[in-house]
Amino acid sequence: MAIIDKPSDFFNNVLYTGTGSSQNINVGFEPDTTWVKNRIDGNSSGSGTHNHRMINSVSGRTELMSSNLTNVGADASYFGNFHSNGFNVSSAQDTNIATGSFISWSWKAGTSFSNSAGANGASIASTGSVNTTSRFSIVKWTPTNTNTPQTIYHGLGVKPDVILVKNIQRNVDWAVYDGSIGANYGLKLNTTATKSDDNGFWQDTEPTSSIFTTGNGAGYTTGAATQNFIAYCWASVPFYSRFNKYVGNASTNGTFVHLDFSPSLVIVKKTAGSGAWFMKDS
């Protein structure tokens, strides 16, 4: 694989200040996924904690998701459309309250695909958008049966290291596959819970270079007949992205985690016991 010369062509984190009215946020490319967080727990209209807000180009900008919540549903008050150099935010407190301080994380996919049931080893049809250079894809599908495992094409061309899945028609937990702990376990993006040994997540089956497998649902998180699902899939790219595990040392000096590059975004979750998800960006 060729080295990515300009990582900011595929991922960028951008700070912006809220205006309380529609504004465009430039990130340097047209994103396919944007994730926004109001950085201040409190706002001009009173105190309160702000939720993470996410949209993508596959399910559409009104299909609002929140990484810290189970909630789903159509809501156009947070985001406008993606544009050639970034994205648009509306007037909602969590994405654009006046004078608020916001961080955005955006990824580019860019190449649409449609995969029929039976093609590329998938048991059901899917649609999505993928970037095989930066190894990122967004996939949408509708399970036809939750009594048997189902396989979904992801488009990366290599085995995914991380998969985030959300049922976008039911208020249930996020499901997270992490290759460093394996497909026998699942994590939940919206909770502090430790890894769960439940084959309802991934049917204890590792993804391949073409597909990933969902089980009987694990509480409707990865399977529910006739309901729509979205997955965000990533695989490591040398000098651009890395997904792995490390062991803590309980020292004030910490554990050095070697990546071969200086990261723009780090996400950490304790898996041997409960603990919050931690995010740090440049």
Side-chain angles (χ1 to χ4, degrees):
M1 176 184 290
I3 300 299
I4 294 176
D5 292 326
K6 190 179 178 183
S8 59
D9 285 344
F10 303 98
F11 169 80
N12 207 0
N13 48 16
V14 172
L15 292 169
Y16 66 93
T17 300
T19 62
S21 60
S22 176
Q23 65 164 326
N24 287 335
I25 309 301
N26 292 333
V27 302
F29 54 83
E30 182 172 350
D32 290 278
T33 292
T34 290
W35 181 343
V36 168
K37 179 67 174 70
N38 187 327
R39 301 165 65 216
I40 307 300
D41 284 345
N43 55 68
S44 60
S45 63
S47 62
T49 300
H50 298 283
N51 296 305
H52 294 247
R53 301 299 186 180
M54 306 166 68
I55 57 167
N56 68 77
S57 63
V58 175
S59 58
R61 60 102 177 173
T62 62
E63 193 66 56
L64 188 70
M65 286 170 266
S66 301
S67 63
N68 62 308
L69 301 174
T70 63
N71 302 42
V72 291
D75 193 330
S77 65
Y78 291 86
F79 293 94
N81 293 318
F82 292 113
H83 59 82
S84 61
N85 202 41
F87 63 97
N88 178 273
V89 285
S90 300
S91 59
Q93 289 187 4
D94 287 348
T95 56
N96 194 28
I97 189 171
T99 72
S101 177
F102 296 86
I103 178 65
S104 67
W105 304 289
S106 296
W107 288 264
K108 179 180 177 62
T111 300
S112 298
F113 68 84
S114 179
N115 193 73
S116 303
N120 294 301
S123 62
I124 57 176
S126 63
T127 58
S129 186
V130 63
N131 194 304
T132 56
T133 299
S134 63
R135 303 300 192 195
F136 168 64
S137 70
I138 310 162
V139 187
K140 183 179 180 181
W141 74 98
T142 305
T144 57
N145 191 332
T146 56
N147 295 319
T148 58
Q150 303 209 296
T151 53
I152 299 99
Y153 177 70
H154 54 69
L156 293 179
V158 297
K159 180 184 175 180
D161 290 307
V162 169
I163 305 172
L164 310 182
V165 171
K166 185 69 181 76
N167 182 329
I168 57 175
Q169 288 187 251
R170 188 186 287 258
N171 292 347
V172 294
D173 294 321
W174 288 76
V176 180
Y177 163 82
D178 185 288
S180 66
I181 60 174
N184 288 351
Y185 300 96
L187 291 165
K188 296 178 179 180
L189 187 63
N190 57 291
T191 80
T192 62
T194 188
K195 63 185 180 183
S196 175
D197 186 356
D198 183 343
N199 70 359
F201 285 104
W202 320 113
Q203 199 60 29
D204 293 349
T205 303
E206 291 293 328
T208 71
S209 60
S210 297
I211 60 170
F212 61 91
T213 302
T214 59
N216 62 6
Y220 304 106
T221 61
T222 61
T226 74
Q227 295 183 5
N228 293 324
F229 286 76
I230 281 286
Y232 302 91
C233 308
W234 288 268
S236 297
V237 177
F239 307 106
Y240 170 77
S241 62
R242 179 72 64 85
F243 305 90
N244 213 326
K245 63 182 178 181
Y246 67 90
V247 178
N249 62 12
S251 167
T252 54
N253 291 328
T255 299
F256 179 74
V257 182
H258 187 65
L259 299 176
D260 290 323
F261 61 92
S262 178
S264 296
L265 173 65
V266 175
I267 302 176
V268 175
K269 174 69 175 76
K270 181 182 177 182
T271 60
S274 62
W277 292 81
F278 172 84
M279 302 177 73
K280 184 74 173 179
D281 65 66
S282 59

